[in-house]
Amino acid sequence: MTPSNPTPSNPKPSTGAPSTATPPIAVTMGDPNGIGPEITVKAYADPRRRPPVVVIGDPDTLARACRITGTELAVRPVASVAEATHSPGVMDVLAEGALPADLPPGTVDARAGAASFQYVRRGIELALRGEIRALTTAPINKEALRRAGLPYPGHTEILAELSGTSDYAMMMANDELRVVLVTVHQSLRTALDSLTTARELEIIRLTHRTLRAGGRTGLSPRIAVAALNPHAGENGLFGREDLDIIEPAVRAAQREGIDASGPWPADTVFMRARAGEFDAVVAQYHDQGLIPVKYLGLEHGVNITIGLPFVRTSVDHGTAFDLAGQGTADHTSLLTALHQADELAGAGTGAPTGDPSGTAAAAVPVPTDT
């Protein structure tokens, strides 16, 4: 869920003139029944938006979102990225199939799930062909995907499979904290059962390569690995996973020259990273890593899939069906994700993670060659 904006904004369209010589960033509008269309038009029209953008979605749904939010944009369907004009006050939309008119906002619907998948698939295809320089995604709904017969627990798994990527991970980042997950969208019980030394080492290596490629943490980024058990297991008293699975991976990484340490007790390691002791934390499971990031503010967090052959960022909140259709959803996280994608893709025209105004310290780029 995303925080609502108590006073619906009526932003004037972005009137900047982004260079069309640079491939645009594609934004997928997410689940049509969620807040994705509304935050997409708000972010597109926000005067702080700098990079050229083409939206992948349904033109009628986006036009309705403009009316709901009071956003002054003309929605212009285009058949290809090359047809986008990036004119002020005009949203170029790659139409990906027509949606039925009876899709009610705020509900889980298989048709909406299928459509949201098609938007992501189109974005992946464009990214792999080099027609866009980055992909930013609005939220999709996992239950809607399941009802549509699509066996994916989330964006990360779709992106990995359709891009042919096997070595990947989810990074959640804001201006104060970077967290990479060992396990992602699975039950806690199966997540614990799936932890292996090989997987731990793979994530440490990927985090190391990602931070080094960013060039802002030096050649030897400091990676803290969070423990699984309370007090890092108290030398086996509270479980042996930290001793038998995680610690061997940390030691192996150290032998490879990686500045990794741990396993550190999870109740303090994120605080230490936020204070500047570490450049990133490797977390063992979804909630262990995401609670600290989201506690610092949903509107400032960005979801980055590291290891893909292209840059992909996303919001760090869900479809917020309870807010859909009201025009009050806050678009800050999407705008931040868009600016982060711009930064990671190397153009440098947007703001870094967590600060759409462009005043914060730059965040860590993602390598595109893994």
Side-chain angles (χ1 to χ4, degrees):
M1 176 175 174
T2 186
S4 64
N5 182 349
T7 55
S9 60
N10 183 13
K12 294 182 180 180
S14 173
T15 56
S19 171
T20 56
T22 302
I25 296 171
V27 175
T28 58
M29 78 172 198
D31 189 297
N33 286 356
I35 61 170
E38 296 170 45
I39 62 174
T40 296
V41 300
K42 283 185 174 183
Y44 195 100
D46 194 304
R48 294 171 294 178
R49 177 183 67 83
R50 300 287 297 274
V53 167
V54 61
V55 176
I56 304 173
D58 179 68
D60 291 338
T61 300
L62 291 163
R64 183 167 61 250
C66 287
R67 294 192 296 271
I68 291 171
T69 60
T71 302
E72 299 174 3
L73 278 178
V75 176
R76 176 177 178 264
V78 295
S80 67
V81 174
E83 291 184 13
T85 61
H86 309 292
S87 302
V90 178
M91 172 184 281
D92 297 304
V93 179
L94 287 166
E96 188 66 24
L99 287 173
D102 62 341
L103 279 179
T107 60
V108 178
D109 193 295
R111 297 168 295 177
S116 66
F117 174 78
Q118 294 296 338
Y119 307 150
V120 177
R121 181 163 68 178
R122 180 77 176 276
I124 293 170
E125 293 170 351
L126 294 172
L128 291 176
R129 291 200 298 264
E131 295 185 43
I132 58 174
R133 74 175 193 276
L135 180 65
T136 297
T137 57
I140 59 177
N141 184 269
K142 299 171 180 62
E143 176 62 18
L145 289 177
R146 189 190 66 81
R147 292 189 184 185
L150 297 164
Y152 299 100
H155 268 121
T156 303
E157 295 78 11
I158 296 173
L159 291 155
E161 180 173 311
L162 298 189
S163 67
T165 303
S166 57
D167 187 7
Y168 65 94
M170 176 191 290
M171 173 186 281
M172 295 294 289
N174 56 33
D175 288 334
E176 301 180 80
L177 193 60
R178 301 181 188 95
V179 176
V180 181
L181 303 180
V182 178
T183 63
V184 188
H185 296 124
Q186 57 192 110
S187 72
L188 181 56
R189 183 174 300 279
T190 60
L192 300 184
D193 291 341
S194 67
L195 293 177
T196 66
T197 298
R199 175 62 176 166
E200 296 282 341
L201 181 56
E202 175 187 330
I203 295 301
I204 294 171
R205 288 168 172 164
L206 183 56
T207 303
H208 175 74
R209 293 200 302 269
T210 298
L211 296 176
R212 280 191 53 156
R216 294 182 177 90
T217 59
L219 295 178
S220 186
R222 302 159 300 167
I223 301 169
V225 181
L228 176 66
N229 296 306
H231 305 171
E234 287 283 10
N235 200 32
L237 183 63
F238 301 149
R240 295 199 55 85
E241 292 87 354
D242 296 297
L243 286 174
D244 297 342
I245 298 174
I246 300 174
E247 186 172 339
V250 173
R251 303 295 170 256
Q254 292 171 343
R255 289 193 295 271
E256 295 178 7
I258 297 174
D259 188 359
S261 61
W264 298 108
D267 58 355
T268 56
V269 69
F270 299 100
M271 176 182 64
R272 294 169 64 186
R274 185 186 181 197
E277 188 174 346
F278 306 113
D279 297 307
V281 178
V282 171
Q284 301 304 317
Y285 56 91
H286 185 280
D287 285 9
Q288 184 189 60
L290 267 57
I291 287 173
V293 176
K294 293 190 176 186
Y295 180 77
L296 295 174
L298 283 172
E299 68 276 15
H300 299 302
V302 176
N303 181 336
I304 306 167
T305 306
I306 62 176
L308 296 175
F310 53 85
V311 171
R312 179 264 177 169
T313 66
S314 185
V315 296
D316 72 345
H317 59 73
T319 48
F321 284 154
D322 57 325
L323 297 179
Q326 300 177 31
T328 59
D330 191 334
H331 67 286
T332 305
S333 183
L334 182 60
L335 185 64
T336 303
L338 178 60
H339 285 159
Q340 176 70 97
D342 186 41
E343 190 78 14
L344 304 184
T349 60
T353 299
D355 185 6
S357 67
T359 60
V364 178
V366 176
T368 58
D369 59 350
T370 56

